[in-house]
Every structure is written in C-alpha cells, then in structure tokens.
DNA sequence: AGATAAGCGAGACGGTACGTCTCGTCTTCAT
DNA sequence: ATGAAGACGAGACGTACCGTCTCGCTTATCT
C-alpha cells in the first residue's frame, strides 16, 4: 500500500487530506465494481469524489495503482485466514471465501484489467504481484505453514507449488473457462490439495 | 471465423476485396505483437492496411473480434498436435511448444487484453472461449483421447479436468506470477499429468 | 481566413460540416464578446457548439486563429468604407464607425488579448497582422486612395504614414489611456489628418 | 509601488522579509524578460525565489501587480529624462532611449500582456495606468514643460495631446505593425513633434 | 521572561483548461 | 453497392497554473 505508508514524522507543508484520500478510494472501489477496470475513468473518480485530478495523480502513479489500493481496501475484510486446526478444513473455508469473492463481486473483471494493464506498465506489474498476489499467497501460505507445524504436511511438500496448485485453477476458471465456481468445487479443490500434500 | 464465412450469391456491386481483408489481418497481427491488445488502435490498422475504418467495422464487430482472428491465423502454425504413441511424450512436446509460444511472442499480453475486454463484451467472450480456448483445448484433448484409445488412461480419468490441470498452471504463470516457463517446467508438468491420469 | 479558403475540388472523404463550422464561429464570437480573449476556453466553445474539441483543432491551429476568424466575421458588417467624395467626410465617418466598434463592443479587449498572444505564437502574429490589421488598413487606405485620385492629397503624401497616424491614436486610447473615444474625438482626428495630408 | 507603502506603526508579529521581497521581484523580472507576462507562472517564481506562493499573494494581489512592480524596478534605470536645453534634442534622446528599451528587451511583450490582463482586472488597470503609463508620461512631460518655460512651445500647445502624439505611434509600431523602431525613426518622430508644437 | 501574533517555506487542495488520442459512426466521391 | 478517405461527437488522458488553505517554525513586539 505504497502511498498510504507510514505517515511518520512529516516535514512542513499542508498535510495530506484524509477526506480526499478516503473519498477517492471509496469512489474508485464503487466505480470499479460497477464499470470494471478498463472503463474506470479518473476524470469520473475525481468528479464524484469532489477532488482535483491533480490530487489523484499526486498520490497514485496510475489508474492501476489506485485500483489495486482501492480494491484491496475493500477485499481485505472478505478474506480472513481460517485456523481450525485441520488443513483440509482450512483450505475448504478459504477456498469458499475466495470463490464467493470471485462470484459475488467484480473481482475477476478488475483483476483481468489489472493483469492486462500490467503488461504495459512494469511498476503496475510489480505492485500487482507484490501487493495483490503477494497478499493472497501470504494468507493462504499461513494455512500450509500451520499444517507443517502440526506435522500434517508430508516432508517434501513445497508450499510454493501448493499455492500455485491452489490459485491456478481458480483464476483459470474465473478468467478463462467461466466454469462453475461454487461450494462443491471449493470442497473438491481442498480435497485434491490435501491428498497431494499431506 | 464468422465474418469471413461463405460469401454466397451476392447481388450487384463491387465484390469484397480479398486484398483488403488479408491486409487488415496481417497488419493487426503485426501491431498486436508489437503494441499489445490494449494499445492496438483500429485507426492505425486502417491507415497501415490502406483500408477504411468503415471496412474493418463492416466485417468485424469489435477490436476484440479482429484481434482473435488475426491472432489465430498467426498462432495456428506454431502449435501442432504431436502423435508419438506416448502420452508422456505427447504432453511434453505440446507443453514445450506452448511454453515457447508464451515466451517468444506477445501471446500472453494479447490474451490478457482479450480476457479483460471480454468482461465488457459478451460476444467477444463467446468468440474468445469458442475460437481461442476451444481450439487449444480440442488440440490438447486429442492427445488424451488417443491415449485413452491406446488404453494408457486410467478408467475414471476425466479429460476435461485433465485439460484444466494442463492449462491452468501455464496461464497462471504467464499472466500472474511471471515464474519460469521453460523446457524443464514443461517436462515437469507432463510428468505430473501423466502420473495423475494414467 | 485560412481555414475557410477556397473549397475547390475536394477529394474523397466526408466534407467539413457547415453546421459545426458556423456553430463554432458563432459561439466563439459570443463568448469572445462576453468573456474576452484571455478567458475564452475552447472546452466551453466545444460544449456550447455541440462539437468535439477535436473538430475545433482540426480546423484552427490555436485559440487565437479561431478568435480572429470569429471576430472578423462579426465585425465585417460594422465597418463599411464610406465614399462621400470628400476626404474629410470619409475620414470622419470611418473614424466614427471605428470608435463605435471600440466603445460598444469588446473589440479592444479581444484585440489586446490577440496582441499579447501574438508574442508567443508567430503564426498568430502573422494572421493578426494580415487578416485583422491588414483588413482595416486596406479599408481605410481606400479612402486615401480615392482622395488621391480626386487630387485631394498633397503630392508627397505617404498613405502608409497617414494610416499609422489614423490608427495609432485610436488604439492608444483604446488600450492604454482609456481617454474618451467619441464623436467629437473622431471629428477632431479627421480634421487633423485632413490638414496634415491635403 | 502600492504594496511597499508606508509601513507605519506595526503591531506585534514578524516583520516582512526583505530578502524574500527582493528575491521575488528579481526572479519575476528575470522570468518576465524570458517568458513574457502571459507565460509567467507564480508557481515558478515562488520555486525559484525559494519562497512560498502564500508570501507572494500576501504582498501582491495578482500576477499583474507583481509584474508591474518587477518591471518598473528594472526599467527605471534605462529611461532618464534628458535636459539639453533643446526640445528637439531632448525629444530625440528620449525617443532613442525608449526605442532601445522596446527593441532590446521584452518590454513590448510584457506590456501587451499587462494591457490584456487589465481588461479583466480593474485594479490592475488602475495600477498599470498610474504607475506604468503615468511614470512614462510624467517623465516625457517634463521635457515639454521645460520647453514651455524656455518659451520654446507655441502658446496654445496642449502637452497632453503632445504626449499622446509621442507615445501612440511608438506603441502602435511595437504592438501592432512591427514596423521599424530605430534611431532614424526616433529622430523623425522628434522632428515631427517639434514642428507641430513649437 | 512569557505571551501573543504575524511572517515564512513547504506544499496540498479544488478547479479549470489545455492539446492529444481513440472509439465507433457517418458522409462523400470514385469505382 | 462497395470501398478509401476522412470528418464527426464523445469523452478520457496526464499536465499546468490559479488562488486558497494548512502546517510547523521563526521572529518580532507587548506585557
């Protein structure tokens, strides 16, 4: 969350306006959900947030950077890391939450836009991978690490590979095939991973 | 390839220009490779192909439809379906070819753009799934079907699931993590699938 | 009137829209009168004329070029060249008309803006001198030339100098001192010039 | 120099900073010469003078007010009132100096910008007329008044009219026609005025 | 010696305009 | 009737400057 970082001991000068900052993120999240990333216009964000375009560009280097931050602020609540004491159970719960996010919100559309834009903007690509993907992988990673501490994981299990095996099919369905993403699928995915890595 | 279909017995008037048609596709493919889908401009295509924009819009309903057709025309050559008599070997060869396509051309960038645009254009979404994805899956599907005929596949093997397991991690790496896509990875993927489904 | 020039035998392509063209000039003239040149905004012209900004920029290279053309179209009617058979009388009538233009319309404000902008735009400077000033000087020049044909002018009279002597004090009052510009002043100016050059 | 006026018995609080004040004027004069009035930006002045924009606006009500003051401070040196004992000689010298100012510096550009801006700012118009024009006219007026004291002027000579006759053609050339402003022209102007008023 | 108060550099802010770009449609002329 | 040329309305882009505002700090005068 680059721009929001730290605050810390500011120098002189008028401080960043909290009202503007949160209005921008709120409006961006709302329009992202409604119009998708590709059709998101910073002109419109500025107008609806009652803010100057300059203010947006002062704090976010690109539409993508704003979209990532806006989206994360919203999505953070929806995805909590479960800790039931069972790998199988944790995976299923997390997969269910994730599937819900993908089907009930415009997450897939937003992410598709961000991925596409990332190919034209290295800084956006970095932010997307670190902030967006990294956050998700870290969360799901905890599930596997706790399983390892409990001795549930087989000795040679590679958590990185497990995370790939978890996310790849979900995103593939969400972005490519449009195949069902529902509770049973989440359960099935959890089963397969548990079988493979424990 | 809907737009090119049939011609049929037309009435009077100037016949459709074959030169224009192929010039448009050639230029589109070239610009797609150079600029990516998002930055592809039909103004530029028209200018470089010596063609009116009107003509483009007459035959293709949208930028995406043109891009799919232009891309398929080029990519078709690169991906042939191997038939070595061994599932393991066929899968590795096909995976190698596919990985080569992803790393040596702007395929990933193009596909990312098409996926993103598909969320705003149902007809494009349909064309993408049927022409683009469907073609790939049919090709790779042959590999599994031949293996089944040879008795290489286990009885309960679900070819649809196998195709998901094959493509999902490749696209996930190409679009999301940026992790290595090379010969060893292709071999590893072929190994894993062979183990799982035979 | 660069952009309006000649028409001639056009090639293919959609022709320039007469509606847009005249709407732009009308709105520009209206806003020029209301807001002055400096505060004239092409965004506003476009919006009120129901026209794309692109269309304005297609036909006029700058705000100044549009302003000159818009203004001339309006001012043309107000300044006719009198022909009474008397230098003194012609000068007074033309001076009165000109003074009327300066006091009853925002001409001075517009011209001040154009002059200022001319220093940053050589092409505008050229257009201003040729189209705007040149037109005025040609008109007033006719008065002196007819006087010369009638034998009213002294042998060594320099018409260029006479035009300077005519316009310089009018613009000086209009732009600098703000001193009275009225009927008596026009008469006085006509007297002085008649005395000096006949 | 309105803003510097009077000081008087101040209350508590920090006094105005002389360093900032003169840095602002210096930078403004420099940028005025380089960029002209229209393109002069107070953001840039503030940055280059190491000063807050707030400080500029505290002491000058507008860009124009600052520009007038900055310009006068510089131009004052260049125009001294000659006193040779001869109207003809004094006029020529003053005209030469003035012509030099107009041709060697960006005076005309600056003045054009101020005149244009004056139409949108009555206070600027007042300052321009009183401080800028008034100063010039007072200086040149001395020449005529001394000539009158010496008995060189004809009895009915109107000094105000003479000043108009002196400045009007100079500004007209400088701002409108761009015709030559040089030594010979200055001499000719001095001749004509001397002939007309003595 | 405090207290009070204004000036100051820094710089964020809402607003507005700039000039350019692309989209998808529309209009003409020439074939 | 088709097609190239290319104008059109719409509207987003990212930048610039305006004049105002808010900060934390400094420097004076007044108690």
């Amino acid at each position: 969350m680059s721009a929001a970082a730290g605050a810390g001991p500011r120098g002189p000068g008028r401080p960043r306006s909290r009202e503007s900052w949160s209005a921008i993120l709120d409006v961006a999240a709302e329009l992202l959900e409604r119009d998708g990333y590709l059709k998101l216009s910073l002109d419109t964000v500025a107008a609806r947030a009652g803010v100057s375009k300059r203010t947006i560009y002062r704090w976010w280097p690109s539409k993508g950077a704003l979209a990532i931050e806006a989206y994360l602020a919203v999505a953070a609540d929806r995805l909590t890391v479960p800790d039931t004491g069972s790998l199988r159970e944790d995976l299923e719960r997390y997969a269910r939450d994730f599937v819900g996010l993908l089907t009930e919100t415009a997450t897939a559309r937003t992410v598709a836009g961000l991925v596409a834009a990332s190919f034209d903007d290295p800084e956006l690509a970095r932010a997307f991978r670190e902030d967006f993907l990294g956050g998700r992988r870290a969360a799901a990673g905890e599930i596997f690490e706790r399983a390892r501490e409990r001795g549930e994981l087989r000795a040679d299990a590679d958590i990185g590979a497990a995370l790939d095996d978890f996310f790849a099919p979900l995103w593939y369905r969400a972005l490519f095939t449009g195949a069902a993403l529902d509770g049973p699928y989440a359960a099935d995915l959890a089963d397969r991973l548990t079988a493979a890595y424990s």
Side-chain angles (χ1 to χ4, degrees), chain A residues 143-158:
Chain A
I143 292 173
F144 286 98
E145 269 150 27
R146 277 201 288 261
R148 166 156 286 160
E149 282 165 21
R150 287 193 303 265
E152 267 192 275
L153 246 46
R154 67 170 55 164
D156 61 340
D158 175 348

Side-chain angles (χ1 to χ4, degrees), chain A residues 35-53:
Chain A
D35 299 332
Y37 174 79
L38 254 35
K39 302 210 166 166
L40 176 66
S41 135
L42 294 197
D43 272 346
T44 308
V45 173
R48 302 212 2 176
V51 141
S52 161
K53 273 204 287 180

Side-chain angles (χ1 to χ4, degrees), chain A residues 46-96:
Chain A
R48 302 212 2 176
V51 141
S52 161
K53 273 204 287 180
R54 191 64 212 266
T55 299
I56 299 179
Y57 283 105
R58 217 189 315 270
W59 301 115
W60 292 277
S62 64
K63 189 167 92 167
L66 172 60
I68 289 178
E69 194 165 339
Y71 199 73
L72 285 180
V74 167
D77 314 328
R78 292 201 55 132
L79 289 176
T80 55
V81 184
D83 186 8
T84 61
S86 150
L87 174 61
R88 167 71 190 65
E89 188 66 21
D90 283 357
L91 283 177
E92 181 175 345
R93 292 202 182 187
Y94 194 76
R96 272 182 200 280

Side-chain angles (χ1 to χ4, degrees), chain A residues 1 25-26 28-30 32-33 66-81 94 97-98 100-102 104-108 110-111 114 131-133 135-136 139 171:
Chain A
M1 241 132 322
L25 286 177
D26 287 353
E30 179 194 335
L32 215 42
E33 189 68 27
L66 172 60
I68 289 178
E69 194 165 339
Y71 199 73
L72 285 180
V74 167
D77 314 328
R78 292 201 55 132
L79 289 176
T80 55
V81 184
Y94 194 76
D97 280 359
F98 196 60
L101 188 69
L102 287 173
E104 290 156 27
T105 70
T107 295
T110 296
V111 169
L114 288 170
D131 298 337
F132 199 103
L133 284 189
R136 297 278 187 276
W171 285 119

